[in-house]
Amino acid sequence: MTPLHTTSVRRRRLGAAAAAAGLLATLLAAGPAAATPDPGDAPAERTPSSEQAAAAEALTRSGDIPSVDEVVHSGNIRHLANVPKDALPGTNSDLAFQGRYAFAGNYDGFRIFDIRNPRDPKTVAQVLCPGAQNDISVSGNLLFLSTDSSRSDDSCASTSQSATEKSSWEGIKVFDISDKRNPRYVAAVETACGSHTHTLVPERRDVYVYVSSYSPNALFPDCRPPHDGISVIKVPRNAPEKSRVVGFPVLFPGEGPDGGGNPGGPVNPGVSKTTGCHDITVLPSRDLAAGACMGDGILFDIRDPERPKVLDQVQDNVNFAFWHSATFNQDARKVVFTDELGGGGGATCNPETGPNRGADGIYDIVGKGDGRKLVFRGYYKIDRHQAPTENCVAHNGSLIPVKGRDIMVQAWYQGGVSVWEFTDSTRPREIAYFERGPLSTDTAATGGSWSAYYYNGHIYSNDITKGLDVLKLDDRRTDPAKRVRMRELNVQTQPDYLDRSGG
């Protein structure tokens, strides 16, 4: 762990300038192979115009945004630790938790941390297994990774290979983590169009995996349109080598080559055509799931996990470009959907983009049973404007479990980490934040917090370039959550916090 950067506690100003613009490495391959960036989350670096670079420099000089790499935060957050990247140089991605361990995805594999002391996380293992995004989840002794870049085979020594080749492989990899220091690769399941993300629906004897993927192409033998659903994998806990696809439920039935999802442009300019789902969050205690599916948000019933049933489908063709992820509130009366405008690479936290695009959309769930509907109530977006060189948009977050309040923590790439409340769906507000200044005022490089989640009293953020950050939130509105203890947390498999939440 390296020393923390200088930290400033101050309220960000939005002035005139803002308006103007101990290692055990478990290596399963000889060396990292390049992972192919995937649409929706890992855009390539881009060169800003001279005007944008000048504007970024002016913003840092004026103090309206932090200087390069400077850490700033609200007074109710403390930055406890940062663990930089080590043997895995790729893009850091998602997080999962179990007991005293945090599991961090990376485009080149995954890393396991011992977080027993949140002030000093220790690396337990690093596993080299390239395959973007390496979206990660854990359940019992099993760890799951998503591969959504076309590979030469399903091994951890694979290389990039065109999706036009029938022999190419994408899908889900399964590891045995009963020995955290020596994870063991035990199974792989190929899925149509790969696995951009995945969601676990755990049962006692088996684990169901909902696989989200998109962007089919007639030239791809294993990913041809229509691709209007999700792959469902059944994983026997005691025999993961027998894992298999048990179904492909269609979530967007309809006429035409792409089913009944959002047609996108030119019918709906600036909106993604729905050709699958980006991410799904399940609430097993309520037999509910919410899907963020490119041009659509959906609510569905998962009482039969192999045959989910859509209850409602909504679109926002004015402000939402790419439905990215979803979060239920504690009593399953609301869903927060995120819009990843610009695919994660755009500088969208600025006055020109405005407060309603690249934001969260808050929806109430009204009605009962099969008649439940999603009703839009409001938007939330951070008001701390960022430099033209900073990618910033709504991304992965989780609830902070406080009884009687709806509060979540969320990653905003280079916009940092935001803690915000939506108890009143129509009047959301930020209550805490943490961020760094831009990676550069000359080059628009992709960086910032990919995922920011609350787990057992602390916030953990997996920064794309800077590594793992640990934050401590001290605020009377969120302090009751410190009494909530989880044995395991995969944010997209949302627990029922109600029987654990403090008053």
Side-chain angles (χ1 to χ4, degrees):
M1 189 171 66
T2 59
L4 300 180
H5 291 288
T6 301
T7 299
S8 301
V9 181
R10 59 181 171 88
R11 171 57 58 182
R12 288 278 307 278
R13 294 185 288 119
L14 300 178
L23 172 61
L24 175 70
T26 307
L27 299 180
L28 300 184
T36 303
D38 300 300
D41 277 309
E45 294 186 4
R46 59 210 188 284
T47 302
S49 67
S50 57
E51 291 81 5
Q52 289 175 320
E57 181 67 24
L59 286 167
T60 59
R61 287 179 179 176
S62 69
D64 283 340
I65 68 169
S67 59
V68 172
D69 277 348
E70 179 189 4
V71 170
V72 298
H73 56 82
S74 54
N76 52 0
I77 274 185
R78 287 179 285 155
H79 188 200
L80 299 184
N82 171 261
V83 186
K85 287 183 180 181
D86 190 33
L88 304 175
T91 295
N92 281 334
S93 57
D94 212 0
L95 291 167
F97 304 89
Q98 186 182 84
R100 70 174 197 252
Y101 299 101
F103 304 81
N106 178 285
Y107 274 42
D108 286 328
F110 64 93
R111 190 173 184 179
I112 302 177
F113 295 97
D114 185 331
I115 55 172
R116 180 170 31 187
N117 179 2
R119 293 178 177 273
D120 189 19
K122 302 293 188 183
T123 300
V124 173
Q126 297 191 69
V127 176
L128 181 64
C129 195
Q133 301 180 141
N134 278 336
D135 192 56
I136 193 167
S137 297
V138 293
S139 183
N141 288 330
L142 300 179
L143 178 147
F144 302 83
L145 285 182
S146 284
T147 299
D148 192 33
S149 55
S150 186
R151 313 298 297 179
S152 56
D153 55 51
D154 64 5
S155 76
C156 285
S158 68
T159 57
S160 295
Q161 181 170 290
S162 173
T164 59
E165 297 289 335
K166 177 62 179 172
S167 63
S168 294
W169 185 92
E170 301 178 64
I172 290 287
K173 295 170 181 169
V174 185
F175 290 77
D176 184 319
I177 54 169
S178 51
D179 180 354
K180 301 295 188 295
R181 293 184 174 275
N182 293 284
R184 184 168 55 90
Y185 186 13
V186 294
V189 181
E190 187 171 15
T191 54
C193 298
S195 175
H196 195 69
T197 65
H198 69 267
T199 304
L200 305 187
V201 186
E203 304 285 345
R204 182 170 297 179
R205 296 178 59 184
D206 307 304
V207 180
Y208 286 97
V209 184
Y210 286 173
V211 176
S212 296
S213 54
Y214 53 93
S215 295
N217 189 303
L219 298 178
F220 299 165
D222 299 318
C223 181
R224 288 178 172 147
H227 184 73
D228 47 13
I230 57 174
S231 297
V232 180
I233 297 174
K234 186 176 182 179
V235 181
R237 289 188 183 277
N238 295 326
E241 69 278 2
K242 297 181 179 179
S243 302
R244 61 189 178 90
V245 175
V246 294
F248 187 85
V250 174
L251 302 178
F252 301 97
E255 302 296 329
D258 297 309
N262 198 316
V267 177
N268 296 316
V271 177
S272 295
K273 180 170 70 171
T274 299
T275 59
C277 289
H278 180 277
D279 211 346
I280 291 169
T281 293
V282 298
L283 191 55
S285 64
R286 305 297 181 98
D287 291 322
L288 278 178
C293 302
M294 305 182 72
D296 294 88
I298 59 174
L299 181 70
F300 53 106
D301 185 312
I302 59 168
R303 281 176 290 183
D304 182 346
E306 293 187 25
R307 299 170 184 83
K309 180 175 67 174
V310 175
L311 301 174
D312 196 23
Q313 174 183 352
V314 292
Q315 299 176 355
D316 179 350
N317 294 318
V318 175
N319 289 312
F320 259 49
F322 188 92
W323 296 67
H324 177 276
S325 52
T327 304
F328 288 97
N329 76 333
Q330 293 185 78
D331 60 7
R333 294 183 181 179
K334 302 176 186 178
V335 181
V336 174
F337 289 102
T338 67
D339 172 28
E340 196 185 37
L341 173 70
T348 73
C349 297
N350 50 47
E352 294 76 20
T353 304
N356 298 335
R357 300 177 65 235
D360 296 316
I362 306 163
Y363 286 75
D364 286 355
I365 301 174
V366 302
K368 296 181 179 180
D370 289 352
R372 283 170 286 188
K373 300 291 184 183
L374 293 164
V375 178
F376 173 76
R377 296 300 190 204
Y379 296 107
Y380 170 74
K381 187 175 182 180
I382 60 172
D383 63 0
R384 291 169 285 108
H385 296 153
Q386 307 296 310
T389 55
E390 292 185 277
N391 61 307
C392 176
V393 75
H395 212 235
N396 293 344
S398 76
L399 284 185
I400 299 179
V402 180
K403 188 175 182 179
R405 289 181 181 268
D406 297 325
I407 301 175
M408 68 181 290
V409 59
Q410 186 175 5
W412 288 78
Y413 288 115
Q414 287 193 71
V417 175
S418 175
V419 179
W420 61 286
E421 181 169 4
F422 60 105
T423 304
D424 182 342
S425 301
T426 65
R427 299 180 65 185
R429 56 177 180 157
E430 184 172 77
I431 62 177
Y433 72 89
F434 166 89
E435 69 166 295
R436 289 181 172 88
L439 290 171
S440 170
T441 56
D442 299 318
T443 301
T446 298
S449 178
W450 179 292
S451 297
Y453 299 147
Y454 185 90
Y455 178 69
N456 290 353
H458 293 82
I459 293 169
Y460 297 86
S461 167
N462 207 18
D463 188 287
I464 289 172
T465 62
K466 300 297 183 182
L468 182 74
D469 287 307
V470 185
L471 310 175
K472 184 67 179 293
L473 176 64
D474 292 302
D475 190 285
R476 60 176 176 77
R477 292 162 289 192
T478 59
D479 283 347
K482 296 176 183 178
R483 299 195 290 268
V484 180
R485 313 304 290 183
M486 306 296 299
R487 291 189 296 271
E488 191 171 271
L489 179 64
N490 301 294
V491 168
Q492 289 74 33
T493 306
Q494 196 167 308
D496 187 345
Y497 290 113
L498 286 179
D499 61 351
R500 299 183 176 96
S501 297

